């Protein structure tokens, strides 16, 4: 069964009582079962009016039902578990959950509002439950996937913690909580798959079709699903003890369902993009972050907000902070000539005026006359340029990666870097210009770009999963072709790091957005790598009216003023955007080869939040 998500529909008509395989009513509390023992089905009907809090199956087919007022019934559970359950109820503990590890035998856990008890749990799981209660919280449920061993989920009154579960299941638990919901139930069928419930939301994967149908019916009736349990023989049970709560609008789900006029899942499929990560800033904090799909088509690793992608040309915007940090430190004016800072001779075509100066500022705004999009070919031309150029193809598996001087001299797979038009005269988007900025940083700082940015920019901003290294040691997404297949080598390498070589995640990009927003609106300098004056320079329109120094800008002087940059490497697409006056922004990273999906996700975010 395909991945599915269902939103609660409030005000729907109640469900009529149906057969034993469908929902039944008892004093207004619905339940549903299929493939369970007749006695259990009978007891479900008897206990449902009192509000069922837990239903659990043992690996050998035993079962237990407990209600919120302490009624319980069990068959085939370990004697010690049954005795402890009775003792806890007698002591006044309201039982939240009962669970049995798949190895069977005398292994079990009971959790409640006052106390808990367990026997034979994996050591780490046992310690996690103990830590929750020691912290003054309660464990709502413990769930065990069928693989056994140290594989489990602990759901407490605030969050979830898991070990060795299906990565997509973890992804879904994470995504649901980002929307302001609290996970309350997790269940694993013996044959595989899972179900995650979070108040008025749930996701399921590869569960029985009948169970799926009844989940939809409960949901449509406005009922909250309070218990989900799967028997070892393939049966299942569902129950509710009340209507779904009235909760604030779930912006995450709103965005998911507004992508390209459909859902993010369907649009990912249409654009043949296996994985997407999203983060959104409101109030100058990261309000939510989510991941969808997979880091690699056919792989087992799901996409998470912590996952690193190639940011492509966002590299330029981020590298611009490094440039301004350097000029700020050296007290080097942006209006100064970049050539004396390169320790390399920047050539020029015959039509370029000898006295024209490629300043640092002009390079950062793509107006320095440096070879770029629209000014690349044919070689040596001064007019009639082709429309291509401006970027870099990267180097695939087996290809020798040139040094930065070799790139600059045209000894790689891109043209020699030179002046092709008079500096200041025209706009030509130029990745080559940012290679010159990279060279300037490395020559003036005395070390490669990657460690310089780590120390001067990333560490101060807490960007721990960002790097200009050719192959950083993070969990990395694989790039994919427009057909959805993994590109050779999974990702190309870019020695033109400042132009195209940044690896980062959506959380780090939004940390950067938060910093820039705050620094822009502050009355003075704030903690971070740049002074307020440098941030103002970064984001204020300069020689190119649509650009600051590295970021594209729009709406200057209005509340919707924004700065942005997108990116396109082979197999990766990206965008980041900030709204300083609104304290807002977002980042989207995708491992497909068409920008359409990234644009649709960004549009959905802006639409849901009402941002220009």
């Amino acid at each position: 069964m395909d991945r599915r998500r269902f939103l609660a529909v409030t005000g729907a008509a109640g469900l009529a009582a149906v057969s034993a395989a469908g929902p039944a009513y008892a004093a207004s509390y619905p339940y549903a079962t299929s493939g369970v023992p007749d006695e259990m089905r009978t007891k479900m009907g008897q206990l449902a009016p009192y509000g069922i809090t837990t239903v659990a199956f043992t690996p050998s087919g035993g079962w237990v039902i407990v209600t919120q007022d302490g009624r319980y019934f069990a068959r085939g559970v370990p004697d010690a578990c049954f005795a402890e359950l009775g003792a806890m109820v007698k002591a006044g503990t309201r039982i939240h959950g009962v669970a049995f590890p798949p190895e069977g035998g005398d292994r079990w856990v009971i959790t409640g509002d006052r106390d808990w008890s367990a026997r034979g749990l994996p050591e780490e799981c046992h310690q996690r439950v103990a830590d929750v209660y020691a912290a003054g919280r309660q464990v709502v449920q413990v769930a065990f996937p069928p693989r056994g061993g140290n594989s489990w989920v602990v759901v407490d009154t605030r969050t979830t913690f898991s070990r060795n579960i299906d990565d997509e299941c973890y992804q879904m638990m994470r995504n649901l909580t980002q929307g302001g919901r609290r996970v309350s139930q997790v269940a694993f069928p013996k044959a595989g798959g899972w179900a995650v419930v979070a108040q008025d939301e749930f996701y399921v994967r590869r569960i029985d079709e009948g169970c799926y149908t009844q989940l939809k019916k409960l949901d449509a009736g406005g009922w909250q699903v309070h218990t989900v349990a799967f028997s070892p023989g393939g049966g299942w049970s569902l129950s509710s003890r009340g209507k779904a709560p009235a909760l604030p609008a779930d912006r995450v789900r709103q965005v998911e369902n507004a992508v390209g006029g459909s859902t993010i899942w369907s649009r990912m499929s249409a654009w043949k993009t296996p994985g997407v990560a999203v983060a959104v800033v409101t109030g100058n904090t990261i309000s939510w972050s989510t991941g969808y799909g997979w880091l690699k088509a056919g792989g087992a690793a799901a996409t998470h907000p912590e996952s690193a992608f190639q940011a492509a040309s966002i590299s330029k915007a981020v590298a611009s902070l490094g440039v301004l940090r350097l000029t700020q430190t050296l007290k080097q004016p942006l209006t100064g000539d970049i050539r004396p800072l390169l320790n390399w001779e920047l050539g020029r075509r015959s039509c370029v005026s000898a006295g024209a100066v490629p300043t640092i500022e002009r390079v950062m705004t793509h107006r320095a006359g440096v070879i770029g999009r629209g000014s690349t070919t044919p070689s040596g031309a001064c007019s009639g340029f082709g429309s291509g150029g401006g970027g870099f193809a990267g180097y695939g598996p087996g290809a020798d990666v040139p040094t930065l001087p070799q790139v600059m001299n045209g000894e790689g797979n891109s043209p020699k870097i030179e002046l092709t038009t008079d500096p200041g005269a025209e706009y030509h988007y130029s990745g080559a210009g940012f290679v010159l900025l990279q060279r300037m940083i490395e020559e003036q700082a005395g070390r490669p770009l990657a460690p310089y940015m780590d120390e001067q920019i990333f560490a101060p901003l807490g960007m721990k999963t960002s790097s200009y290294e050719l192959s950083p040691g993070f969990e990395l997404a694989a790039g994919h072709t427009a057909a959805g297949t993994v590109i050779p080598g999974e990702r190309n390498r870019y020695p033109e790091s400042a132009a195209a070589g940044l690896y980062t995640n959506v959380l780090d990009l939004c940390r950067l957005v938060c910093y820039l927003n705050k620094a822009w609106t502050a009355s003075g300098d704030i903690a971070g790598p740049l002074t307020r004056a440098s941030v103002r320079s970064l984001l204020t329109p300069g020689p190119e009216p649509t650009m600051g120094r590295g970021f594209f800008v729009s709406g200057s002087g209005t509340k919707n003023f924004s700065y942005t940059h997108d990116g396109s490497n082979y197999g990766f697409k990206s965008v980041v955007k900030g709204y300083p006056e609104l304290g807002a922004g977002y980042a989207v990273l995708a491992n497909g080869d068409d920008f359409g999906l990234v644009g649709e996700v960004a549009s959905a975010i802006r639409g849901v939040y009402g941002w220009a």
Side-chain angles (χ1 to χ4, degrees):
M1 165 177 182
D2 291 337
R3 178 194 305 107
R4 290 168 176 165
R5 187 187 69 73
F6 315 103
L7 289 171
V9 180
T10 59
L15 303 173
V18 295
S19 69
Y25 275 91
S28 80
Y29 292 150
Y31 67 94
T33 65
S34 178
V36 303
D38 290 342
E39 183 183 28
M40 179 185 177
R41 184 181 303 115
T42 299
K43 291 299 179 183
M44 286 282 290
Q46 293 172 352
L47 295 175
Y50 305 99
I52 294 173
T53 59
T54 188
V55 176
F57 293 94
T58 72
S60 58
W63 49 271
V64 60
I65 308 169
V66 186
T67 68
Q68 59 190 350
D69 67 349
R71 300 164 194 260
Y72 63 96
F73 195 91
R75 278 281 185 255
V77 304
D79 290 343
C81 177
F82 186 77
E84 185 66 16
L85 176 61
M88 291 175 68
V89 170
K90 185 176 181 180
T93 298
R94 177 176 174 175
I95 303 302
H96 292 323
V98 181
F100 303 94
E103 290 83 357
D106 193 16
R107 297 181 176 88
W108 45 270
V109 57
I110 307 169
T111 62
D113 62 345
R114 297 185 179 184
D115 201 1
W116 69 286
S117 184
R119 182 175 293 183
L121 300 187
E123 182 178 352
E124 188 179 11
C125 178
H126 189 282
Q127 187 60 54
R128 180 66 185 184
V129 175
D131 290 345
V132 170
Y133 281 92
R137 302 195 305 276
Q138 304 164 26
V139 171
V140 176
Q141 187 201 22
V142 181
F144 299 99
R147 68 170 62 96
N150 190 35
S151 178
W152 44 269
V153 177
V154 171
V155 180
D156 68 34
T157 49
R158 190 180 70 185
T159 187
T160 63
F161 194 89
S162 59
R163 277 285 183 262
N164 303 314
I165 68 168
D166 180 274
D167 200 21
E168 188 183 27
C169 179
Y170 173 81
Q171 179 194 70
M172 296 308 175
M173 289 194 294
R174 166 71 182 270
N175 287 4
L176 283 167
T177 58
Q178 295 298 295
R181 273 55 180 162
R182 179 175 54 80
V183 171
S184 56
Q185 287 283 299
V186 182
F188 300 96
K190 184 177 181 179
W194 44 265
V196 177
V197 179
Q199 298 173 284
D200 63 343
E201 305 274 356
F202 59 88
Y203 289 90
V204 298
R205 180 76 164 177
R206 301 189 309 277
I207 70 169
D208 179 85
E209 193 71 21
C211 182
Y212 155 63
T213 299
Q214 300 307 330
L215 280 166
K216 285 200 301 182
K217 289 182 177 180
L218 287 173
D219 189 46
W223 295 99
Q224 181 173 347
V225 178
H226 288 99
T227 72
V228 182
F230 297 99
S231 77
W236 50 267
S237 79
L238 309 171
S239 71
S240 174
R241 57 178 183 273
K243 292 287 187 172
L247 297 170
D250 186 340
R251 293 294 182 88
V252 181
R253 308 287 88 77
Q254 289 176 341
V255 170
E256 287 176 358
N257 289 301
V259 178
S262 184
T263 68
I264 191 168
W265 305 109
S266 65
R267 300 309 294 160
M268 287 170 64
S269 177
W271 290 109
K272 296 181 173 56
T273 298
V276 178
V278 184
V280 170
V281 170
T282 59
N284 282 334
T285 62
I286 300 173
S287 59
W288 57 268
S289 59
T290 56
Y292 304 93
W294 308 95
L295 294 182
K296 178 180 178 181
T303 300
H304 301 294
E306 295 82 3
S307 304
F309 289 68
Q310 284 188 355
S313 285
I314 291 176
S315 306
K316 299 177 179 69
V318 176
S320 294
L321 275 79
V323 173
L324 289 174
R325 174 67 179 179
L326 180 73
T327 57
Q328 179 181 292
T329 302
L330 298 179
K331 295 180 170 45
Q332 173 70 44
L334 294 180
T335 53
D337 192 338
I338 193 174
R339 290 174 294 188
L341 306 174
L342 298 176
N343 194 24
W344 178 81
E345 184 176 352
L346 176 62
R348 60 185 177 89
R349 294 186 181 176
S350 59
C351 52
V352 177
S353 303
V357 177
T359 65
I360 299 171
E361 181 177 54
R362 285 171 171 171
V363 176
M364 296 179 77
T365 58
H366 305 285
R367 294 189 67 90
V370 179
I371 189 170
R373 187 175 301 157
S375 65
T376 304
T377 56
S379 178
C382 290
S383 62
F385 295 115
S387 60
F392 296 99
Y395 296 84
D400 293 332
V401 178
T403 64
L404 197 64
Q406 287 174 327
V407 170
M408 295 161 69
N409 289 323
E411 297 169 20
N413 59 9
S414 57
K416 178 181 179 180
I417 298 177
E418 58 184 350
L419 296 178
T420 57
T421 57
D422 276 359
E426 301 175 24
Y427 172 86
H428 294 287
Y429 184 83
S430 176
F434 276 77
V435 171
L436 295 184
L437 293 169
Q438 177 179 344
R439 172 72 174 188
M440 180 187 75
I441 289 175
E442 295 188 348
E443 287 298 302
Q444 299 306 309
R447 57 189 185 278
L449 179 70
Y452 172 83
M453 292 294 291
D454 288 345
E455 177 186 301
Q456 298 295 318
I457 304 298
F458 298 148
L461 297 181
M463 299 172 65
K464 297 180 179 179
T465 311
S466 297
S467 177
Y468 281 96
E469 295 285 355
L470 282 179
S471 299
F474 310 136
E475 178 186 52
L476 301 177
H480 296 79
T481 68
T485 60
V486 180
I487 67 175
E490 298 190 358
R491 59 199 70 88
N492 281 353
R493 295 159 293 168
Y494 295 85
E496 311 90 354
S497 305
L502 174 65
Y503 286 90
T504 190
N505 63 28
V506 290
L507 295 172
D508 276 4
L509 287 176
C510 282
R511 290 184 181 103
L512 176 60
V513 167
C514 291
Y515 167 71
L516 292 177
N517 285 354
K518 292 174 184 177
W520 174 269
T521 56
S523 58
D525 295 345
I526 67 171
L530 299 182
T531 63
R532 181 177 185 273
S534 289
V535 172
R536 286 272 165 170
S537 177
L538 183 76
L539 303 181
T540 298
E544 172 58 35
T546 62
M547 291 200 72
R549 282 79 178 165
F551 280 97
F552 293 90
V553 295
S554 65
S556 297
T558 73
K559 70 173 184 177
N560 287 315
F561 164 59
S562 66
Y563 56 91
T564 189
H565 212 295
D566 58 30
S568 176
N569 277 3
Y570 180 37
F572 295 92
K573 299 295 178 279
S574 57
V575 67
V576 63
K577 191 166 190 173
Y579 298 84
E581 301 299 334
L582 301 178
Y586 58 82
V588 183
L589 297 171
N591 60 358
D593 203 42
D594 197 304
F595 192 79
L597 176 63
V598 169
E600 289 178 356
V601 174
S603 179
I605 295 169
R606 294 193 302 272
V608 166
Y609 284 92
W611 299 334

